[in-house]
Amino acid sequence: FSTEQDVQTYTEHNRLSCSVENMGKRTRNKSDKNLKNKSTTAPAEKSFEETFDNLKFEDPYEDVFEEEDIVNPDEGMKMEAEEDEKEKASGKAWTPSDGLNKDEVLEVDPTAYKMLHNLNVEWPSLSFSILDDDLGSNRTRFPHSLRLISGTQAGNGKNSLTVVQLSNLGSIEKGEDESDEESGDEDDNEIDEDPMLQFVSIPHDGGVNRIRTVQTQLSNKTTTLAATWSDTKKVNIYNLNEPLNSLETHKKVGSLGKRPVFSYGGHSSEGFAMDFTNNPSNPSNFLITGDCRGEIHLWNMQNNCDFSAEKFFRSSVKGVSVEDLAWSPTEGTVFSACDTSGYIHIFDTRAKNKAMLSRQVSKVDVNVLAWSEHVTNLLACGCDDGELSVWDLRHFGGAPASSSVPLARFTYSKTPITSVEWHPTDESMLCVTDDVATYLYDLSIEDDVTTEVKEDNGKAGVPPQ
């Protein structure tokens, strides 16, 4: 320091600083004691003024972090397989013997089908017929197409024939894990367009009991004819060329194309039995029809769809109805008939009003017949009690009726058999329908079926075939 006065000034300054510091310590100690003894309210925060450049962010939700379960891929696949097995175990294949409760609904299993399409009709139909086309048979490549004709049983009396064309019918989509031997044709089977339905309606006098079709040559032109049994006791013949052409050209069908080319009222009652010849190039023995009074009428075709028909046979048993008729696939003059007396008859058109062979095959009505085109000695029939039987005509008339045994007999159906049809290419397969379901029988697997399959079918009540 330069002078004594400077030293004295420095000393006084330090003494003042220490006093102020000690006073601050005493004040803080006193405040701490007051906080312990008395709760105080925190001072209000200084107000925050929001501006466009200085915004205050408030998050109304708190961040919640959940721990994720780490699953082993192998365990995940195992769990999915177990779930699939449980679903399969819970599902059950339905059979007609199971019945169906009011609260039960059948679900379609798409793995059972290669193609499945549904359509609804306005009125019930007792009969339909597949129409031939020029696209060939045994088609397997998608998309498929189909032409058919059906007849209505309308309650209001306004009945009609419906000529239908279905096209762009694609296959069912398969799952990713399903292996397919025809995977090479996968691109060909993929259909981008929706299925298409076209139809032409033709007015019909009365309900249609049965309808049959045939292709024949008229004036060097392929002609499709349809025969209908009406509940007005008439049989009508229609030329379907114009309606079929309208489905291709989208032109309107004229009034003449919607009228029958021939109508026959010679039967004394309505009927259901009807069949076209297997040799349509032969104008004689072209069509046979049977009615509910046991009469069979034989038709011959003249030129330009002009027909002549006459009574060929009438049953001597009162109250017998002819239920179905079928021409022989090899002999143009031979046909079979079944009736409500349980008999099957074999006729020859060269012997009028006389059956060549007769055999009682059932104690109830025989409803339908089918003569095999591949094994021509086999005749299948379905009865009112649900029995389906296949007969060998080589042993049909020799043995007494009491000792006659069919080649095969099935009693699985419990309701009347309504139709039976042989497969067009497989000689051992049959399609059968009753009031409940449709059945496919394969007669060739009878001797080859394994014991395990027999046991499984036996539990379900299903025949091995």
Side-chain angles (χ1 to χ4, degrees), residues 246-372:
S246 70
L247 296 176
E248 301 292 340
T249 60
H250 306 288
K251 293 182 179 180
K252 189 176 181 180
V253 180
S255 59
L256 292 178
K258 292 186 176 183
R259 296 178 183 176
V261 295
F262 187 83
S263 185
Y264 176 66
H267 282 277
S268 58
S269 70
E270 66 173 313
F272 295 85
M274 174 187 295
D275 194 29
F276 275 110
T277 178
N278 291 306
N279 184 18
S281 61
N282 183 11
S284 61
N285 304 332
F286 192 74
L287 177 70
I288 44 176
T289 54
D291 60 33
C292 294
R293 290 191 177 179
E295 293 183 3
I296 298 175
H297 291 216
L298 181 64
W299 294 53
N300 295 318
M301 183 178 68
Q302 313 297 328
N303 295 328
N304 299 323
C305 291
D306 187 17
F307 294 88
S308 63
E310 61 177 355
K311 185 189 299 184
F312 173 79
F313 172 83
R314 180 168 184 173
S315 176
S316 59
V317 181
K318 187 177 180 179
V320 168
S321 170
V322 179
E323 297 292 278
D324 202 6
L325 296 164
W327 283 101
S328 167
T330 56
E331 300 180 70
T333 61
V334 177
F335 67 90
S336 60
C338 63
D339 57 34
T340 55
S341 65
Y343 274 81
I344 292 179
H345 309 277
I346 307 297
F347 293 93
D348 192 316
T349 59
R350 294 168 293 186
K352 189 176 180 180
N353 208 30
K354 179 182 179 182
M356 300 292 99
L357 295 173
S358 295
R359 171 73 63 184
Q360 185 175 14
V361 299
S362 177
K363 295 182 179 180
V364 297
D365 300 357
V366 183
N367 296 329
V368 286
L369 283 175
W371 205 321
S372 174

Side-chain angles (χ1 to χ4, degrees), residues 71 73-88 177:
V71 180
D74 296 336
E75 294 180 357
M77 294 176 63
K78 184 178 180 181
M79 293 172 61
E80 291 180 0
E82 291 177 354
E83 291 178 358
D84 292 340
E85 290 180 0
K86 289 181 180 179
E87 290 181 359
K88 292 180 180 179
D177 56 344

Side-chain angles (χ1 to χ4, degrees), residues 382-443:
C383 303
D384 223 29
D385 57 0
E387 179 180 290
L388 168 69
S389 56
V390 180
W391 297 85
D392 189 344
L393 295 178
R394 295 174 298 182
H395 312 291
F396 198 66
S402 58
S403 62
S404 60
V405 178
L407 190 64
R409 174 180 285 152
F410 305 98
T411 58
Y412 177 70
S413 297
K414 305 304 178 185
T415 57
I417 302 294
T418 55
S419 69
V420 58
E421 190 81 19
W422 289 95
H423 194 283
T425 58
D426 194 324
E427 63 184 22
S428 63
M429 293 195 69
L430 278 167
C431 179
V432 181
T433 65
D434 60 13
D435 290 339
V436 179
T438 301
Y439 313 87
L440 294 177
Y441 287 88
D442 190 348
L443 306 181

Side-chain angles (χ1 to χ4, degrees), residues 31-51:
S31 299
D32 293 341
K33 291 179 181 180
N34 293 335
L35 289 172
K36 291 179 181 179
N37 298 329
K38 184 179 180 180
S39 62
T40 59
T41 304
E45 293 183 1
K46 187 178 180 180
S47 61
F48 182 83
E49 184 178 357
E50 285 189 273
T51 64

Side-chain angles (χ1 to χ4, degrees), residues 444-456:
S444 66
I445 66 173
E446 182 176 4
D447 296 330
D448 300 332
V449 66
T450 62
T451 304
E452 182 179 358
V453 172
K454 285 183 178 180
E455 292 177 354
D456 292 341

